[in-house]
Amino acid sequence: MTVRFGLLGAGRIGKVHAKAVSGDANATLVAVADAFPQAADAIASAYGCEVRTIETIEAAKDIDAVVICTPTDTHADLIERFARAGKAIFCEKPIDLDVARVKACIKVVEETGAKLMVGFNRRFDPHFMAVRKVIDDGKIGDVEMVTITSRDPGAPPVDYIKRSGGIFRDMTIHDFDMARFLLGEEPVSVLATAAVLVDKAIGEAGDYDSVSAILQTASGKQAVISNSRRATYGYDQRIEVHGAKGMATAENQRPVSIEVANGDGYTRPPLHDFFMTRYTEAYANEIAAFIAAIEKGTKISPSGADGLAALALADAAVQSVKEGKLIKIG
Amino acid sequence: MTVRFGLLGAGRIGKVHAKAVSGDANATLVAVADAFPQAADAIASAYGCEVRTIETIEAAKDIDAVVICTPTDTHADLIERFARAGKAIFCEKPIDLDVARVKACIKVVEETGAKLMVGFNRRFDPHFMAVRKVIDDGKIGDVEMVTITSRDPGAPPVDYIKRSGGIFRDMTIHDFDMARFLLGEEPVSVLATAAVLVDKAIGEAGDYDSVSAILQTASGKQAVISNSRRATYGYDQRIEVHGAKGMATAENQRPVSIEVANGDGYTRPPLHDFFMTRYTEAYANEIAAFIAAIEKGTKISPSGADGLAALALADAAVQSVKEGKLIKIG
Amino acid sequence: MTVRFGLLGAGRIGKVHAKAVSGDANATLVAVADAFPQAADAIASAYGCEVRTIETIEAAKDIDAVVICTPTDTHADLIERFARAGKAIFCEKPIDLDVARVKACIKVVEETGAKLMVGFNRRFDPHFMAVRKVIDDGKIGDVEMVTITSRDPGAPPVDYIKRSGGIFRDMTIHDFDMARFLLGEEPVSVLATAAVLVDKAIGEAGDYDSVSAILQTASGKQAVISNSRRATYGYDQRIEVHGAKGMATAENQRPVSIEVANGDGYTRPPLHDFFMTRYTEAYANEIAAFIAAIEKGTKISPSGADGLAALALADAAVQSVKEGKLIKIG
Amino acid sequence: MTVRFGLLGAGRIGKVHAKAVSGDANATLVAVADAFPQAADAIASAYGCEVRTIETIEAAKDIDAVVICTPTDTHADLIERFARAGKAIFCEKPIDLDVARVKACIKVVEETGAKLMVGFNRRFDPHFMAVRKVIDDGKIGDVEMVTITSRDPGAPPVDYIKRSGGIFRDMTIHDFDMARFLLGEEPVSVLATAAVLVDKAIGEAGDYDSVSAILQTASGKQAVISNSRRATYGYDQRIEVHGAKGMATAENQRPVSIEVANGDGYTRPPLHDFFMTRYTEAYANEIAAFIAAIEKGTKISPSGADGLAALALADAAVQSVKEGKLIKIG
């Protein structure tokens, strides 16, 4: 069976998914829609699909599933429309920046019985998946302490930051999801600090660029997250899980792994400098998992509930910074 | 411009090239030929190309280039036929196991002005390319000592070994080419030893499974090669170049790079266990370089002369083992 | 010049310092005192020094400096006595578990003009010193985020824990000092969480075994600390400093650095399993720095004020856990 | 029991052994002799021993063992004298540069029943010892291929080289011994190449500075050795042992193991730059093993026969380079 896709949104992340869908033997990219015809045309010609409107994709008989890559403030509406249209839905994170809106959207998804996957791509990185498997196989015993380091090579434009919901909802949200993925227990409390160390303009926009957070579960398991909007050495993405019987880590990835030695020392090249090259395999695995869940009728993960849970942690982190105290979840 | 390909041979390595050609934005796989119709059909249906005979591909107007993946003893004949047919030719190594036959074949290629690339895929591995670039950029000064370690996860069937021309012509030949690629000077002498340590059946077939060789250039630069048909830890492929100003190395690659620590120590997973997964990027880069040379009309490398030079080193190594002495080249 | 030492306390850490003093070309170990004559005798015979009482060491003309390795609750009293006796004083951390008592003790030290070094040995580890030098040399720009991981191979006896002042004052205090050493700015707030994951008996004794803490300075620099009383893979001691221009890390140390590869992967041995072998060089460098400061009359670091500052952070961490909020310092 | 030592020769390597003997709890350095009184005085005052002549050490009742660190051309004579004087003898490599002289000397040692250890310090490096233990424990199965890389940070003075017996007898001899230590079988053939790439003056002195060699045992096990008199990145000392069931490696050692990351990549500091700092522990372990063999009356290893075997391999390598052929041993 082949799953026939419509792509909503032909921007940067839309291109990533167009490539992933096209490269999957079990999928066909049938159509793409975008408010900017040129963007849609570019994908259409690169991957041999049609340009359509959202409305015609909604009504199309030859489309089984959509990938939503439009601006964040359209996500919830589109999820509801396509859930009602009977399509399987893959939506980039977040569903919405407002918890109430996310809950309402998930309710529609449940009522319609639609399949919804939320785009936490890192769960599908082969190295992080392997760490999770080590945990599942019991090789490091009960998880005790999770450490997640995420640093971007550079900050996005301030205009983006203003619309992003803030660093905790835009960037740390991936780490909150990863913490849930690795802890195996729901966090019940959040502590966070935040500062502006990289760019004053970010502070003037009401956001932070350097943050630290601690999550704790009911049984006392802890996850520590460190984020920065700057890293001169590349896209820094590491996880470490310490358990009762051992520790599992996934180190950074680099495109070229040579070493040059001389009187100054031994030097390896910088890391990947962009999430698209760093997570190429993750994006491919993610869409493959979505397709497999559609074909086999299995439970989709990460689901809308996962998107909601990560957002709730982000909201709690914002509140923790503002109020200088531990925030309880749920 | 798009280069239109015919594929000759639909076996294991044929599939590798079918995938590489199909995945290249500047190429189209038009047709495939194989003595076994089922093998050709499999590739035709997977990549949407036609099944044709070698003869029809030879005569076809809609084919610009061929990839020769047939058995070794057909390579030279096919190169000559397709050179005369005016096609660009990519041929898997070796051109032939006999130096005289290779020379005759290259003569035909030169007379026809055909473009011929020989498949030394490792030159296109991104890590090895990066080492070469370090050399070219002068970062380690004049090359002095090259060290190449190649070990296969396991020995091929003895039937294969009998037809292979022996380990030096079948396996070490890649390292002889890599040594030439890295030394930047032609080797003028070869010393080699060889033994049967892995499988007695290999010895009974008249071949070796564990060999060491030293090449030396006129100015005294040295390359040391270590080969084994066995490596429990995966496909071991390392290069090291020591120069007057420094050293560059390319370490082994593994599909998953996590680490698990416990009372037994810190463990990373084994290496890739197969050349196809280890050299996926190399095969794609290789065909892209072939296409680029066709489109731009630039010199092709590695050429037939490179194939001949590596074979001559392999022959000299065989002779060195037999006669217990240093063999001069050229 | 040779500094003549008296050693107070001949227990486990006393032996470490006896060895460090004896091995230093600028020091002589003259005498040792301990409530248990056998312990004192053992050191006396191993290092060729006399057994004396604390009183006779206090009054001795042939002793310039003392190393205090007695139980914690005697530290402040002994510091005051030997400050008044005109000796230079090296005291194991902590000065006392009570901030008011530490302040009173430091006041006596200041009034007498005595030299006092507090034993934060990790500042003298060659790898951590090298990280600090990288910072001082401006190679990573302004420090932004410090990450400190400290995990003990196993928990101490519960009897020890009961007298220890709790994990924050006993174990994390080293990391609080290290954070101050690396941040280059005083922390102004502390957030901490704590749990019992390793041993219920530790919880029954009113303490924790797994803790996380975040410190923040006035300018927003952050330090994240992760502690556990258990690590199957050895004595886990890592620091990472992320700055505006780069990052510096000191990885774990192991006594033997080989690697064994087979079908299960590539395995390096576990880490050092004990602070004494891990920090052998640090203890030697520490006493050498103390001697150098005495001889040259230079400022001693880490000082009593450093001991006090680390204790204040530990107290704040305890309060943060209890009250579930951010605690301001100073 | 304490072994009482006399030290013959107070030069660079003499100081290394003076320190090792003095630091050993089971040894006392009683006396030192050197043709240059100042050199002897320096060691005498640093370690609190007497200055004596070789004759008085020979006749002394208070000396059980000697360490011979005099110039190479005196080694064999001194070994014979002290063997006859009933002392245990530790002699720096080589016993002599002439095989016949070495054999004669060993005969005297055997006739007198003297204990003789030859100074192949690398056998006592904790990392190399650990590799050997991995082999002995059967963890990598039968040894098949040994790879040894030794490169000095810089070439010694040409005057030294003229008296050294040439690179194979002076430098590679350590690797020949290491190959024997790791192969577990005697090499029966040697192939070698050699060139002058580092310094023409070395060539003018009749020696080489860059050499490669292959040893092979009767069963076909191979050892490949790569040597250079130059390495900008420090003292390069690596071993790798590939066996039927796996591989064991000992990587290079560096004094400080930090890493600094920025836009240029991830850089670790250079290696140790000198054999004395690289092999500090090896020298201490070596003298401890000598002392233990004296005290327990156990067999000494490496023995005079080991010194002879390594020299024979060095001679064969010289001959292989000259004659351009494989040289059989024994």
Side-chain angles (χ1 to χ4, degrees), chain C residues 4-131:
Chain C
R4 300 164 299 175
F5 277 84
L7 174 68
L8 313 185
R12 194 172 68 171
I13 190 69
K15 281 178 199 157
V16 170
H17 288 296
K19 188 178 173 189
V21 168
S22 298
D24 195 299
N26 300 312
T28 311
L29 183 59
V30 174
V32 58
D34 196 287
F36 294 92
Q38 286 172 320
D41 285 347
I43 283 185
S45 74
Y47 296 101
C49 71
E50 294 177 23
V51 174
R52 297 189 189 170
T53 62
I54 288 181
E55 288 71 24
T56 53
I57 291 176
E58 201 176 354
K61 298 259 153 111
D62 64 345
I63 286 185
D64 309 308
V66 289
V67 175
I68 301 177
C69 301
T70 52
T72 293
D73 57 8
T74 66
H75 286 185
D77 287 349
L78 288 171
I79 289 172
E80 290 176 358
R81 278 172 65 177
F82 281 87
R84 289 185 178 117
K87 310 297 188 198
I89 304 154
F90 176 96
C91 184
E92 263 305 311
K93 66 93 199 164
I95 295 176
D96 195 273
L97 293 173
D98 179 73
V99 162
R101 184 69 192 88
V102 173
K103 285 183 178 171
C105 177
I106 290 177
K107 204 177 165 207
V108 171
V109 171
E110 284 169 357
E111 286 168 359
T112 56
K115 288 180 181 298
L116 170 66
M117 180 184 269
V118 174
F120 287 121
N121 59 300
R122 295 181 196 173
R123 289 193 182 208
F124 298 95
D125 174 68
H127 316 289
F128 296 169
M129 287 171 79
V131 167

Side-chain angles (χ1 to χ4, degrees), chain A residues 19-35:
Chain A
K19 189 178 173 190
V21 169
S22 297
D24 194 299
N26 300 311
T28 311
L29 183 59
V30 174
V32 58
D34 196 286

Side-chain angles (χ1 to χ4, degrees), chain C residues 176-310:
Chain C
F176 289 133
D177 181 66
M178 185 53 61
R180 292 181 64 244
F181 182 63
L182 297 172
L183 283 168
E185 241 181 47
E186 286 302 318
V188 296
S189 68
V190 179
L191 282 172
T193 57
V196 178
L197 299 172
V198 176
D199 186 353
K200 283 184 185 172
I202 291 174
E204 287 159 11
D207 198 5
Y208 311 102
D209 53 38
S210 304
V211 306
S212 304
I214 306 172
L215 311 182
Q216 189 159 320
T217 71
S219 75
K221 299 177 198 302
Q222 292 153 45
V224 172
I225 297 167
S226 173
N227 279 173
S228 172
R229 289 287 195 187
R230 154 160 73 192
T232 57
Y233 37 89
Y235 188 43
D236 188 3
Q237 298 277 296
R238 286 171 283 158
I239 62 173
E240 171 183 308
V241 185
H242 170 84
K245 294 185 184 167
M247 175 171 64
T249 51
E251 283 300 308
N252 274 313
Q253 301 294 316
R254 42 172 58 80
V256 176
S257 58
I258 65 168
E259 190 165 53
V260 178
N262 58 34
D264 295 328
Y266 281 65
T267 301
R268 293 178 294 156
L271 310 178
H272 285 283
D273 60 358
F274 204 28
F275 70 91
M276 293 199 213
T277 51
R278 168 63 183 84
Y279 284 120
T280 304
E281 287 173 287
Y283 284 112
N285 291 342
E286 182 182 48
I287 215 73
F290 178 58
I291 292 165
I294 294 171
E295 291 188 338
K296 297 175 191 161
T298 50
K299 196 157 168 284
I300 284 196
S301 170
S303 66
D306 291 309
L308 179 62

Side-chain angles (χ1 to χ4, degrees), chain B residues 154-207:
Chain B
V158 171
D159 272 355
Y160 172 89
I161 281 177
K162 285 177 183 166
R163 299 187 316 268
S164 71
I167 188 169
F168 287 111
R169 293 187 191 91
D170 177 57
M171 181 174 171
T172 323
I173 197 166
H174 277 291
D175 306 305
F176 289 133
D177 181 67
M178 184 53 61
R180 293 181 63 246
F181 182 63
L182 297 172
L183 282 168
E185 241 182 47
E186 286 302 317
V188 297
S189 69
V190 179
L191 282 172
T193 57
V196 178
L197 298 172
V198 175
D199 186 353
K200 284 182 185 173
I202 292 174
E204 288 159 11
D207 198 6

Side-chain angles (χ1 to χ4, degrees), chain B residues 143-145 147 149 151 189 191-198 210-216 219-228 230-233 236 238 240 242-247 249 252 320 324-327, chain D residues 143-145 147 149 151 189 191-198 210-216 219-228 230-233 236 238 240 242-247 249 252 320 324-327:
Chain B
V143 170
E144 294 177 354
M145 318 277 285
T147 308
T149 307
R151 297 183 188 127
S189 69
L191 282 172
T193 57
V196 178
L197 298 172
V198 175
S210 305
V211 307
S212 304
I214 305 173
L215 312 181
Q216 189 160 319
S219 75
K221 300 178 197 300
Q222 292 153 44
V224 172
I225 296 167
S226 175
N227 279 172
S228 173
R230 154 159 73 192
T232 58
Y233 37 89
D236 189 3
R238 284 171 285 158
E240 171 183 308
H242 169 85
K245 294 185 185 166
M247 175 171 64
T249 51
N252 274 312
S320 177
K325 66 181 191 191
L326 179 143
I327 305 301
Chain D
V143 170
E144 294 178 354
M145 317 279 284
T147 308
T149 307
R151 297 183 187 126
S189 69
L191 282 172
T193 58
V196 178
L197 299 172
V198 175
S210 305
V211 308
S212 304
I214 305 173
L215 312 181
Q216 188 160 319
S219 74
K221 299 178 198 300
Q222 292 153 45
V224 172
I225 296 167
S226 175
N227 279 173
S228 174
R230 154 159 74 192
T232 58
Y233 37 89
D236 189 4
R238 285 171 284 157
E240 171 183 308
H242 170 85
K245 294 185 184 165
M247 175 170 64
T249 51
N252 274 313
S320 177
K325 65 180 192 191
L326 179 143
I327 305 301

